[in-house]
Amino acid sequence: MEARTALVTGGSRGIGRGIALELARAGCRVGINYAGNEAAARDTLAAVKEAGGDGLIVQADVSVAADRNRMLDTVFSEFGRLDLLVNNAGVAPNVRADLLTCGEESFDRLFAINLKGPFFLTQQAALRMREQAQDGHGLRGRVVNITSISVYTSSVNRGDYCMVKAGLAMMTKLFADRLADDGILVYEIRPGVIATDMTAGVKEKYDHLILEKGITPLRRWGRPEDIGLAVRAVAEDRFPFSTGEVFNVDGGFHLHRL
Ligand code: NAP
């Protein structure tokens, strides 16, 4: 295990919890960020400890600058350093609305939480990582951005979500390029359809598409631990000569089939 300390935004539930647990299984100390659901964050921390790891919970709204800085202050003062930042926190539109009728409020909310927050959190984390000593692999840090198949898949009833996820994919390339000389590697993990609170409301629709129509070659829902295992591989430095890389964790959804 190379990355000893990690911060997972939105680590209280769903995919973030799956990531926190896999990092814990590798013996990592994990900062579990949450927005409002403290009870869920405490449950994740208990599970992290049970899995052999350790950590802390930290409330912060990633769309708010003061919250982001306070969160980094907490993590650096408790852990001493940050080896891995996982930009996982994200929201879907409250109401799905067609491109021709959707409003600005949802656009602004998704932009702030899903793109502006991760961008400036990464900026501030990277400035601090640059100042810390190299680890055994000559690295000063790692960043993972959790995007979505929506980066390249058109859903005309949630265009705002697709656009901000596409922005997050570009953000991965930009930081990978900018931070390479600083010994900070940056990756994108692109999940398919994963069973979490976010997809609970569309369960029937995706049950049909996945299990009956075979929209993914692997006919099952993704699980949070599927994403957790991919993040763990990054934390364990399985890709030392890759940066800006995209890992599809989607049951093969991205394949074009005839
Ligand atoms: P989820 O079950 O709805 O959990 C969302 C997590 O994000 C919670 O921990 C929540 O904290 C946190 N969060 C929400 N707004 C926040 C904010 N402003 N500041 C800090 N934390 C905030 O979602 P999920 O399905 O696990 O999704 C996690 C990520 O994966 C998202 O970026 C999502 O877009 C992406 N993704 C999901 C799927 C899928 O099929 N589920 C597919 C592709 C990509 P609280 O618990 O405090 O509310």
Side-chain angles (χ1 to χ4, degrees):
M1 179 68 186
E2 296 300 333
R4 309 300 310 179
T5 59
L7 170 62
V8 183
T9 67
S12 45
R13 291 183 285 127
I15 290 173
R17 178 179 286 177
I19 293 168
L21 282 177
E22 275 310 316
L23 293 174
R25 287 186 186 116
C28 208
R29 297 170 80 194
V30 192
I32 300 156
N33 159 246
Y34 66 100
N37 199 335
E38 185 179 337
R42 288 197 182 285
D43 285 350
T44 302
L45 180 59
V48 156
K49 288 183 174 170
E50 211 169 297
D54 196 5
L56 56 86
I57 62 169
V58 53
Q59 190 283 329
D61 180 339
V62 294
S63 69
V64 176
D67 282 20
R68 292 191 296 269
N69 290 331
R70 178 176 44 74
M71 174 162 62
L72 289 176
D73 286 346
T74 303
V75 166
F76 275 86
S77 76
E78 291 293 319
F79 292 166
R81 63 182 283 136
L82 180 61
D83 297 306
L84 170 64
L85 167 65
V86 185
N87 285 308
N88 164 76
V91 290
N94 285 326
V95 180
R96 294 186 174 203
D98 182 76
L99 275 192
L100 299 183
T101 54
C102 64
E104 293 188 22
E105 199 181 319
S106 177
F107 184 101
D108 289 344
R109 173 173 170 264
L110 265 64
F111 183 85
I113 297 173
N114 293 6
L115 185 56
K116 185 187 78 170
F119 177 82
F120 287 105
L121 182 63
T122 302
Q123 178 197 69
Q124 293 305 310
L127 287 169
R128 298 183 193 216
M129 283 174 173
R130 284 189 340 162
E131 300 301 317
Q132 60 193 16
Q134 291 180 347
D135 62 20
H137 279 225
L139 295 179
R140 289 198 166 80
R142 305 149 189 81
V143 178
V144 172
N145 298 317
I146 305 299
T147 64
S148 168
I149 52 176
S150 296
V151 163
Y152 60 86
T153 305
S154 166
S155 298
V156 293
N157 60 354
R158 53 186 180 116
D160 41 16
Y161 184 82
C162 299
M163 287 187 286
V164 295
K165 286 296 184 182
L168 198 57
M170 187 63 209
M171 186 186 111
T172 305
K173 296 180 200 288
L174 289 165
F175 276 119
D177 183 9
R178 181 65 181 84
L179 299 174
D181 282 342
D182 295 303
I184 299 171
L185 303 182
V186 187
Y187 302 94
E188 176 189 344
I189 290 176
R190 197 174 275 180
V193 184
I194 312 294
T196 69
D197 292 344
M198 187 181 276
T199 46
V202 283
K203 183 176 181 310
E204 265 180 39
K205 173 186 167 184
Y206 284 119
D207 274 349
H208 175 68
L209 287 174
I210 295 168
L211 307 174
E212 289 165 40
K213 292 200 79 176
I215 197 173
T216 52
L218 303 180
R219 286 183 192 240
R220 71 162 171 87
W221 281 75
R223 296 184 278 262
E225 57 265 40
D226 292 318
I227 311 303
L229 286 166
V231 176
R232 180 174 173 177
V234 167
E236 292 179 329
D237 288 323
R238 301 299 188 205
F239 308 99
F241 197 48
S242 302
T243 193
E245 193 54 80
V246 182
F247 300 114
N248 293 288
V249 186
D250 62 358
F253 178 88
H254 67 283
L255 298 172
H256 299 275
R257 293 188 291 170
L258 273 176

